[in-house]
Amino acid sequence: MDLQAMRREYGLGSLHREQLFASPVEQFEHWMKHAIDSGVLTDPTAMTVATVNADGVPSQRIVLLKGYNEQGFCFYTNKNSHKGDDIRNNNQVSLHFAWLALERQISIIGQTVELSDEENDAYFHSRPKESQVAALASQQSRPVDSRDVLESHYQALLKEYADTDVPRPRHWGGYRVIPDTFEFWQGGKHRLHDRYQYTRDGDHWRITRLQP
C-alpha cells in the first residue's frame, strides 16, 4: 500500500481577512451552520477532545459538542473516565473539528470548568431513557470481562427503572471549555492553506494570519 502516492487538491474555497467576524464565536457559528446545512457531514458536532495526564502523556477521543456561546463550549461525560481523570490533573484541553468534506478545520484551546448540577440534570434528563441508563451502567474507561457482562448489567437497570426516573450519576456531568485561542483552517490549492488564529487581547480578540 503506497500511502505516499495518495493525494488530492483542495479547491472548495478560500478564506480572507475581510470575511472573518470580529468574534471567533460568531465565526464558529457561521461555519457550524454551514457544516450542518451542507448535508455532507454525518456528525457536524463531533469534535476531538485532547487532554494530557499527570505524567504529560496526551490522549484524544471524539465527543459531541452540546452547546456553545461567548462563555465557552460544552460537552458531557463520565467524570471518572480517562478524560475526566486527565482534566482533574490538568484543565487545559484542545478541541478540534475536522470537517474534511468541506476542507475546513477548527481548533480551540482553553481551560475547562465544571457545569452546574442544574445544567447537568437538565441535559441528562433530556436524553432518551436508554442513554440515561447506559450512563448509569457504564464505568467508562474501566476494564470489563466481556460485552455480555456489560449488557446484562444494562438490561437489569433498564428493568429497574422502567417505570421511574433514572437518577443522574453524581460522576456524570459536563464541562465548559473557556477558549484562549481559536484557529480556522480552509484548505487551499497546492497546500497553500488559509489559516487564521484568534488570540485573547484583553476584552477583544487579535486576528493573525498564519502560514500554511
Side-chain angles (χ1 to χ4, degrees):
M1 187 184 303
D2 185 5
L3 299 184
Q4 293 185 19
M6 295 180 64
R7 63 184 66 251
R8 69 180 179 89
E9 276 294 342
Y10 298 93
L12 290 182
S14 58
L15 187 61
H16 303 287
R17 175 63 181 83
E18 59 270 20
Q19 295 174 295
L20 297 174
F21 289 88
S23 163
V25 178
E26 288 186 69
Q27 183 63 37
F28 177 88
E29 181 160 23
H30 178 64
W31 272 23
M32 174 61 81
K33 185 177 187 304
H34 181 260
I36 294 170
D37 292 345
S38 71
V40 300
L41 300 174
T42 303
D43 294 300
T45 64
M47 61 184 182
T48 299
V49 177
T51 58
V52 177
N53 70 11
D55 297 320
V57 179
S59 60
Q60 303 174 65
R61 73 288 293 162
I62 303 293
V63 304
L64 299 179
L65 178 69
K66 288 300 178 182
Y68 66 92
N69 54 30
E70 293 289 343
Q71 282 67 55
F73 293 71
C74 301
F75 67 93
Y76 294 84
T77 187
N78 182 322
K79 294 183 179 180
N80 291 333
S81 64
H82 186 165
K83 72 177 86 60
D85 290 342
D86 285 358
I87 289 171
R88 267 190 295 276
N89 287 291
N90 183 344
N91 74 338
Q92 297 278 346
V93 305
S94 175
L95 310 178
H96 182 255
F97 296 83
W99 295 332
L100 303 183
L102 301 176
E103 300 176 359
R104 286 178 170 176
Q105 301 179 62
I106 304 174
S107 297
I108 302 169
I109 299 173
Q111 303 175 34
T112 58
V113 295
E114 294 188 354
L115 296 180
S116 67
D117 284 340
E118 292 75 16
E119 290 171 300
N120 292 333
D121 286 339
Y123 177 65
F124 183 80
H125 292 295
S126 75
R127 307 170 84 206
K129 174 168 277 192
E130 292 80 4
S131 296
Q132 295 178 37
V133 171
L136 196 62
S138 173
Q139 298 182 45
Q140 193 176 104
S141 303
R142 301 300 184 258
V144 64
D145 289 338
S146 68
R147 175 80 188 194
D148 289 342
V149 170
L150 180 62
E151 287 280 1
S152 177
H153 184 41
Y154 173 72
Q155 293 298 331
L157 288 172
L158 272 181
K159 291 180 181 178
E160 180 178 348
Y161 293 103
D163 300 314
T164 187
D165 291 338
V166 180
R168 176 178 65 86
R170 292 297 94 187
H171 57 261
W172 191 98
Y175 297 98
R176 176 177 288 108
V177 179
I178 303 171
D180 294 315
T181 65
F182 289 76
E183 183 183 323
F184 293 86
W185 181 99
Q186 176 73 60
K189 291 181 179 180
H190 316 304
R191 301 301 187 266
L192 294 177
H193 312 303
D194 290 312
R195 297 173 58 193
Y196 286 92
Q197 183 184 72
Y198 288 75
T199 54
R200 285 193 183 275
D201 186 6
D203 295 331
H204 304 284
W205 292 90
R206 184 172 64 253
I207 303 175
T208 307
R209 177 185 270 274
L210 303 179
Q211 297 188 50

